[in-house]
Amino acid sequence: MIYYVSGPVALLEPGLAVIDCAGVGYGCRITAYTASKLKLRENARLYITESIREDAYDLYGFESREEQRCFELLTNVNGVGPKAALSILSSGGPQNFTLAVMTGNEKMLTAAPGVGKKIAQRIILELKDKLGGASELDFSAGAVAATPAANNAVGLATAALQELGYGPTEISAALKGVDPNASTEEMVRYALRAMVMKF
């Protein structure tokens, strides 16, 4: 099993990156999100998901483990193949995908070419719990203070940020001062901006 490939980016085309590993070029199918993180002739590491069929052996490369996990979850949904999964993640990366599922936002998913309303609904139905989407989740450890009306939006935003790998303390600090009447999507974007500004 190939876990990751690491080396200079020898070729970068839409949907494809070739990583030179000690003289061997590994062609990896990638999302536009991952492509935006790569630069030709600069070192990169891509986490690999292999697809082995009778007539093909494909490598799918991802800039982060989060994006790889989202891809693997997507391809386990009935009717969602690798091409559709790459298309969905190309639209905004793992952050926007997680947010779309958590908030039940079909439009964010159907914005990807080849993804219809029925597939979007199936993705949300099958993956919401796997992405921590239940609003009943206990966020008491470092939970963000909020009015009762805002609890659901804050809870969903917190769950989305936790799924992206942030801890309760980071999330609490990032959501400090957020408009309690903002939507879940706005809260997540606010928090991500706050975290970026911190660094």
Side-chain angles (χ1 to χ4, degrees):
M1 182 182 79
I2 300 175
Y3 188 78
Y4 66 79
V5 294
S6 181
V9 179
L11 179 68
L12 190 58
E13 295 179 351
L16 176 70
V18 176
I19 307 298
D20 185 346
C21 300
V24 178
Y26 288 88
C28 307
R29 299 184 186 279
I30 59 172
T31 64
Y33 176 82
T34 285
S36 71
K37 308 288 185 180
L38 304 178
K39 290 186 180 180
L40 198 60
R41 291 183 289 278
E42 290 192 7
N43 285 333
R45 171 180 290 181
L46 296 181
Y47 295 94
I48 300 297
T49 294
E50 299 173 272
S51 174
I52 303 172
R53 303 188 305 276
E54 287 184 11
D55 58 344
Y57 174 40
D58 293 317
L59 300 180
Y60 296 91
F62 305 95
E63 183 267 340
S64 68
R65 286 283 293 119
E66 290 77 19
E67 188 185 27
Q68 182 187 40
R69 178 169 182 258
C70 289
F71 175 82
E72 291 173 351
L73 286 171
L74 275 166
T75 52
N76 282 327
V77 174
N78 186 33
V80 180
K83 187 175 180 180
L86 290 177
S87 179
I88 290 168
L89 292 171
S90 287
S91 299
Q95 293 91 347
N96 280 354
F97 166 69
T98 300
L99 181 59
V101 173
M102 298 286 287
T103 59
N105 191 333
E106 295 174 18
K107 288 185 178 180
M108 287 179 72
L109 297 176
T110 55
V115 179
K117 186 174 182 178
K118 286 186 178 180
I119 291 293
Q121 290 174 338
R122 189 179 301 149
I123 289 169
I124 291 168
L125 180 66
E126 292 190 24
L127 298 186
K128 195 166 188 178
D129 287 342
K130 292 180 182 178
L131 290 171
S135 59
E136 300 82 34
L137 289 175
D138 179 15
F139 301 112
S140 57
V144 183
T147 61
N151 276 341
N152 189 47
V154 171
L156 287 172
T158 302
L161 291 163
Q162 285 178 332
E163 185 61 33
L164 294 172
Y166 296 105
T169 303
E170 290 177 296
I171 294 169
S172 181
L175 285 174
K176 189 175 181 181
V178 70
D179 180 357
N181 297 314
S183 68
T184 302
E185 183 177 350
E186 289 169 337
M187 287 184 180
V188 172
R189 292 187 188 282
Y190 177 93
L192 290 173
R193 279 198 300 269
M195 290 177 187
V196 170
M197 293 285 288
K198 183 179 177 182
F199 296 104

